């Protein structure tokens, strides 16, 4: 069955005229790589203003340049950028609790300085443009929080090298003892306006997040004993720090997730996240400090709850995904019960709530990338448009699909993007694109970036199926955990069921079907062409292809064991699930794309699969990207990758 889900709420686009613009321009990889990235919408406590960031792609391999923007909640004034001197980067806007000031991080040049320095906390009046620094540290500030009364600023900064260490580094005497950290991110405190800065946490404790209690006496922290990315995601705890004494209490939550910390307005309860047993899911928790009770939020809601924010002492607003749609849910702080309030189109967690319950979030349309949207309890309204050029692009039609899994009848959700001029009867060359994760998901709405190829391909005559097989988000934690021990055949069968649907309905041409994706999407694409004869080619982007070696070499060593166990004791299980051990069954052409600086999925994964296919006599091409991490940011790389995807499919499917 194919069906289109209804919103059930009134949507008010900020530029209705965009829907009537002639769409004649064929979008190119250059066009898509040039799209700005809107993010981090922060609504003021009084609900009147929203601050957010816009990242503009830069040439020459530079990272996008990020600026802070502001817009009124009611849309009576146009969005306005905070002026940025030179080429400074502004990010992480945060309002003071009275809404009169906006604080943010920036590497701007301090008054009297000759050059830009470390990233500092800056402050500007709510409607002003003249910013002043609040910190003067020798190292970058990475996060901060202003106390409720505005009298104290707490921030995180990594210890700079000592003079002896600095001299060693300058002399290239820089041997590293792996996983034995020497510099930690610590909490610092300064009384405003002119107090001296002092460290609150000791050397040896890594602090990832912090949040002031309303009375200004306590800081909630998320901490680790190590400084690696693995510590950040898989090995952190929530603790309370008494500001006056500096005493750190016993952990409130020893298995914390990366959910932001937030106190209830009355200061009695703390919101944080708890990591699931195997590390692939997480649950927001409300912890009553005095009563020592913990309430799991949205445990019975049949979707994936990403994020929650306090509305008042009794309720929270949550954001997540059910099926292909995003969702706003009202959460009861006493019971954790969830009631859906809206079904927006959203790509990932990003929203904040004012004291009156109104929210600002990152939203999408089928025909437009992310922008700032608002939710007032009844209406979803677009408040910015940082992609006006897209209104003239030839774009594909987007539909939401569902089908029952042939294995067990579970509902599988997907998105289908088809050419705008498709007659509905001619069979189309089709790409099945698999998302990363596997505990991630495709979403309803815009699909166009260096790793989202649907709109680029639909404009060129392809159909693109974007399935969320078992292991994905959107159908609850139990559904996501179905990938434990089975990355391959179970998810692949869910995908093949969707392909069956497209072929039965006359959409996909069985003789011209490809599969591709990035990260886990690269894995399942390689697995698919080793286990099925339905695909004429595969595009393997940054795929995990030998699971055991990946578990022993990547930068998050707790990730794969959560799915498959100890890689030494469960080696047979790892090998049975690894595409490289099934490479001799691959006979169709394969394109492999990989960043040379990828620490999440090391380049050796691509090299092993490439060499195995060469030994097998399988047509294969490996393209590597110097300096490329797991998630690209260099504009030239993003353009090249997209063009290779188009050219490869044109050669193999046309």
């Amino acid at each position: 069955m194919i069906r289109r889900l209804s919103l059930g709420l009134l949507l008010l686009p900020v530029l209705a005229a965009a829907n009537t613009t002639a769409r004649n321009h064929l979008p190119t990889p250059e066009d898509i790589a040039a799209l700005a990235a809107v993010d981090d919408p922060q609504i003021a406590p009084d609900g009147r203003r929203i601050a957010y960031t816009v990242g503009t792609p830069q040439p020459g391999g530079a990272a996008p340049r990020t600026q802070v923007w502001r817009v009124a909640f009611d849309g009576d004034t146009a969005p306005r950028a905070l002026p940025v001197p030179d080429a400074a980067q502004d990010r992480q806007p945060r309002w003071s609790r009275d809404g009169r000031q906006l604080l943010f991080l920036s590497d701007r040049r301090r008054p009297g300085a000759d050059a830009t320095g470390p990233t500092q906390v800056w402050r500007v009046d709510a409607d002003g443009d003249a910013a002043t620094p609040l910190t003067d540290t020798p190292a970058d500030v990475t996060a901060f929080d202003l106390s409720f009364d505005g009298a104290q600023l707490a921030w995180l900064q990594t210890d700079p090298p000592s003079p002896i260490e600095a001299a060693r580094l300058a002399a290239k005497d820089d041997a590293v003892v792996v996983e034995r950290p020497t510099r930690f991110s610590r909490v610092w405190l300064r009384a405003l306006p002119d107090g001296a800065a002092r460290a609150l946490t000791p050397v040896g404790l890594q602090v990832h997040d912090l949040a002031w209690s309303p009375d200004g006496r306590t800081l909630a922290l998320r901490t680790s004993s190590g400084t690696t990315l693995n510590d950040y995601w898989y090995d952190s705890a929530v603790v309370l720090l008494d500001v006056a004494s500096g005493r750190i209490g016993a952990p409130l939550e020893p298995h914390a997730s990366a959910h932001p910390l937030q106190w209830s307005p009355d200061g009695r309860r703390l919101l944080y996240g708890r990591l699931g047993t195997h590390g692939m899911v997480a649950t927001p928790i409300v912890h009553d400090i005095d009563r020592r009770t913990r309430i799991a939020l949205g445990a019975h809601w049949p979707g994936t709850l990403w994020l929650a924010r306090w509305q008042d002492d009794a309720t929270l607003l949550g954001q997540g995904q059910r099926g292909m749609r995003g969702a706003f849910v009202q959460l009861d702080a006493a019971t954790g019960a969830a009631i859906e309030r809206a079904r927006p189109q959203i790509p990932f967690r990003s929203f904040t709530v004012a004291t009156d319950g109104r929210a600002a979030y990152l939203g999408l349309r089928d025909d437009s990338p992310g922008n700032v949207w608002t939710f007032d309890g009844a209406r979803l309204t677009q408040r910015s448009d940082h992609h006006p050029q897209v209104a003239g692009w030839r774009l594909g039609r987007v539909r939401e699909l569902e089908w029952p899994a042939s294995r067990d009848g579970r509902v599988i959700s997907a998105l289908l993007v088809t050419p705008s001029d498709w007659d509905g009867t001619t069979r189309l060359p089709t790409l099945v694109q698999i998302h990363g994760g596997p505990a991630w998901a495709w979403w309803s709405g815009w699909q166009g970036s260096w790793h989202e190829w649907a709109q680029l391909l639909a404009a060129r005559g392809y159909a693109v199926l974007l399935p969320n097989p078992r292991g994905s988000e959107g159908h609850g934690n139990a559904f996501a955990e179905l990938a434990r021990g089975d990355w391959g055949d179970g998810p692949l069968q869910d995908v093949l069921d969707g392909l069956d649907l497209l072929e039965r309905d006359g959409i996909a041409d069985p003789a011209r079907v490809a599969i591709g994706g990035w990260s886990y999407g690269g894995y399942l694409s390689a697995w698919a062409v080793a286990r099925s004869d339905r695909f004429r080619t595969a595009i393997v982007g940054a795929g995990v292809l030998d699971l055991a070696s990946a578990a022993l070499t990547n930068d998050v060593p707790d990730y794969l064991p959560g799915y498959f166990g100890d890689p030494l004791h469960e080696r047979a299980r790892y090998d049975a699930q690894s595409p490289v051990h099934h490479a001799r069954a691959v006979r169709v052409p394969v394109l492999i794309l990989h960043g040379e600086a990828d620490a999440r999925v090391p380049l050796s994964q691509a090299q092993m699969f490439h060499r195995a296919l060469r030994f097998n006599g399988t047509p294969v091409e490996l393209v590597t990207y110097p300096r490329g991490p797991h998630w690209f940011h260099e504009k030239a790389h993003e353009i090249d990758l997209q063009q290779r995807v188009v050219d490869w499919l044109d050669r193999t499917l046309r």
Side-chain angles (χ1 to χ4, degrees), residues 43 128 354 510:
I43 191 168

Side-chain angles (χ1 to χ4, degrees), residues 208-378:
H208 305 291
D209 191 13
L210 74 171
W212 278 105
S213 63
D215 62 10
R217 298 177 180 176
T218 305
L219 279 166
L221 309 177
R222 188 168 70 89
T223 66
S224 296
S225 59
T227 61
T228 67
L229 190 64
N230 194 78
D231 294 303
Y232 178 89
W233 286 115
Y234 294 104
D235 193 14
S236 67
V238 175
V239 299
L240 298 182
L241 181 149
D242 180 80
V243 174
S245 68
R247 185 180 66 84
I248 298 175
L252 298 179
E253 173 52 63
H255 303 292
S257 74
H259 191 289
L261 305 173
Q262 187 183 19
W263 293 87
S264 60
D266 62 9
R268 293 173 50 197
R269 285 168 290 188
L270 179 66
L271 172 67
Y272 55 74
R274 175 189 294 157
L275 202 61
T277 302
H278 305 295
M280 60 193 74
V281 299
T283 302
I285 301 292
V286 168
H287 189 137
D288 189 303
I289 303 300
D290 293 332
R291 297 179 180 178
R292 299 183 180 181
T293 60
R294 298 169 177 82
I295 300 297
L297 298 178
H300 301 294
W301 181 60
T304 300
L305 184 61
W306 295 330
L307 183 62
R309 304 280 191 186
W310 289 99
Q311 288 186 297
D312 53 47
D313 289 324
T315 60
L316 304 96
L317 187 65
Q319 186 188 59
Q321 182 169 334
R322 180 171 63 80
M324 297 304 297
R325 285 270 171 178
F328 281 122
V329 294
Q330 182 177 309
L331 299 160
D332 188 306
T335 67
I339 301 173
E340 284 190 9
R341 295 303 187 197
R343 300 298 306 277
Q345 291 177 291
I346 48 179
F348 49 79
R349 68 178 198 175
S350 186
F351 87 108
T352 49
V353 178
T355 54
D356 62 4
R358 296 188 294 177
Y361 69 98
L362 181 66
L364 302 167
R365 299 199 312 258
D366 288 350
D367 60 353
S368 179
N371 272 294
V372 174
W373 287 63
T374 59
F375 175 52
D376 62 5

Side-chain angles (χ1 to χ4, degrees), residues 4 324-325 345-346 364-368 398 400 415 417 443-448 455 466:
R4 175 71 165 146
M324 297 304 297
R325 285 270 171 178
Q345 291 177 291
I346 48 179
L364 302 167
R365 299 199 312 258
D366 288 350
D367 60 353
S368 179
V398 179
E400 297 166 24
L415 208 65
V417 185
W443 54 85
S444 174
W446 176 259
Q447 293 289 342
Q455 286 293 356
L466 304 156

Side-chain angles (χ1 to χ4, degrees), residues 429 457 460-462 537 539 643-654:
L457 294 173
R460 288 160 173 77
Y462 291 88
T537 187
I539 300 174
Q643 190 61 57
R644 288 183 188 277
V645 167
V646 171
D647 293 344
W648 184 266
L649 293 177
D650 283 349
R651 288 200 304 270
T652 55
L653 295 190
R654 295 292 191 183

